[in-house]
Structure formats: structure tokens, C-alpha cells
Amino acid sequence: MLRLALGGLIALPATGHAPYGQWGVYRKRFLLILTTKVDPPSFALGQRLAEVLAERLPDSRARVSRAPHKARVASLISTGQLDLALMRPDDAAALRRGLPPFADYGPVQLRRLVGLGDFLLVCRADFPARHAWLLARTIAEAIRDLPAPLTPVPTLAQKPDSSVPLHKGARAYFTGEPMPDRELEDGAGHGHEHEAGG
């Protein structure tokens, strides 16, 4: 019975529904990494990333979640239903700017935590700085256990990814600053870059 109940909760991120209030409870107990069915490599990377985080940062209780399509990822991230997603850089940039195919969901104050191979691990700007710092450190220390190279900050040999800024908490880690004692504000703390007028 417990296994069936947990299985039902794990399926929730793919649907975005919140029956009986369990969606919010599940989100508070597990760090969910969102991927998509239409991009299988994202799910494979997400699975390994969740395993590494669950092992090295056990309080996170990290899990991977798989949405049916990219629009669901945009919906869950932009509305604050989920905090983390593995996205292709072009998709992340489009969501941040509110461009097609995500014009209905953005612009979103999107930030990157790390680059992992062909993907960015992204969050909203209001993701707690302490959590961002811990995730950046844990991933950097565990990179040998992940099937993708880490690209936390651009180098002279890389094209700078200015379209998705680095989260302040992650930047603090990569520049050698201590873990923040309190949340660093990064932007207005809302899901959208600009409030719609009218």
C-alpha cells in the first residue's frame, strides 16, 4: 500500500495536479528535478543527478520527475510548482525571455545553477541562496560520478551564456565565498521578469 501511495505521489509532477493537497506535501519533502519525456537524455541525466544528490546531500531527498512535454516544464517552473529543471540552453533562454515556444509562460526570472553537458540545471531567481550554494558545491564535488562535464562558469574558450545568469548562491560557491547565512535576494522574487501592465 505504501509503495502504491508513494508511486502515485511521484507521478504528480508529470501532471501538475494537486489532489487532496498531497502535491504541496510532496514538494516540501523531496527535492524534485524536472525533466521531459520528449528529451530522453534529460531524464537519464536527471536520474543520475538525483542519485548523486540523494547520496551526498541526503536531506534533499532528491528525486527525478518527468513531464510529458516542454510546455509542462515551463508551466511548473513559471508558477513555482517546481524549483529545478534540466533544460537545453536555448529552451532556458526562451523561457527566461518569454519567447516561443514559451510565450504563454514567461518571461521568467530564470537562473542557472550549473551547466551539465548539453543541459543547464535551472531554477527561479527566488530559489534560496543557501540551497543554490549547497547544490553547486555538491555537484562540483561529485562531478566524476555524473555522465556529463560540469561547466559552472564560462571560460575564454566558451561562449558566455549571458541569456541565463548564474544564480547568486551558485556564483558565491564558484567564486569561493562561504555559504550564505541568509537568503540572498536575486531579483524581485517573482516568477516573471516583468509585471504585465494594464
Side-chain angles (χ1 to χ4, degrees):
M1 291 287 290
L2 289 174
R3 284 196 297 268
L4 288 174
L6 183 58
L9 288 176
I10 290 174
L12 287 177
T15 64
H17 298 303
Y20 310 113
Q22 291 302 308
W23 170 241
V25 173
Y26 185 74
R27 284 185 58 234
K28 292 176 183 177
R29 298 180 70 180
F30 297 93
L31 179 70
L32 297 175
I33 301 167
L34 189 56
T35 64
T36 59
K37 289 183 179 179
V38 296
D39 195 352
S42 74
F43 182 65
L45 178 58
Q47 280 185 307
R48 188 65 191 122
L49 180 58
E51 291 171 359
V52 166
L53 291 175
E55 177 183 348
R56 293 175 175 252
L57 200 61
D59 285 348
S60 71
R61 297 184 180 182
R63 302 284 190 277
V64 66
S65 178
R66 184 162 51 175
H69 43 67
K70 294 179 180 181
R72 177 64 73 184
V73 173
S75 175
L76 291 171
I77 292 293
S78 65
T79 58
Q81 295 182 68
L82 280 183
D83 294 318
L84 302 177
L86 281 170
M87 299 185 72
R88 301 278 180 176
D90 289 347
D91 287 336
L95 179 58
R96 179 176 179 263
R97 296 175 180 175
L99 300 176
F102 307 119
D104 292 338
Y105 305 99
V108 176
Q109 286 191 1
L110 207 61
R111 299 292 184 265
R112 60 189 167 94
L113 296 174
V114 296
L116 289 168
D118 295 328
F119 295 92
L120 300 179
L121 180 63
V122 299
C123 60
R124 294 183 316 281
D126 60 3
F127 189 69
R130 286 173 63 88
H131 295 177
W133 191 97
L134 279 169
L135 288 175
R137 183 190 69 177
T138 304
I139 294 169
E141 291 176 349
I143 194 59
R144 292 180 181 176
D145 296 329
L146 292 169
L150 177 70
T151 53
V153 291
T155 67
L156 293 177
Q158 297 172 319
K159 180 180 178 181
D161 186 14
S162 60
S163 59
V164 184
L166 194 63
H167 189 286
K168 282 189 176 181
R171 182 166 63 243
Y173 170 74
F174 288 118
T175 56
E177 298 176 32
M179 182 171 65
D181 290 329
R182 58 184 178 176
E183 182 176 343
L184 293 175
E185 294 298 328
D186 188 4
H190 299 291
H192 294 284
E193 289 282 3
H194 306 288
E195 294 294 333

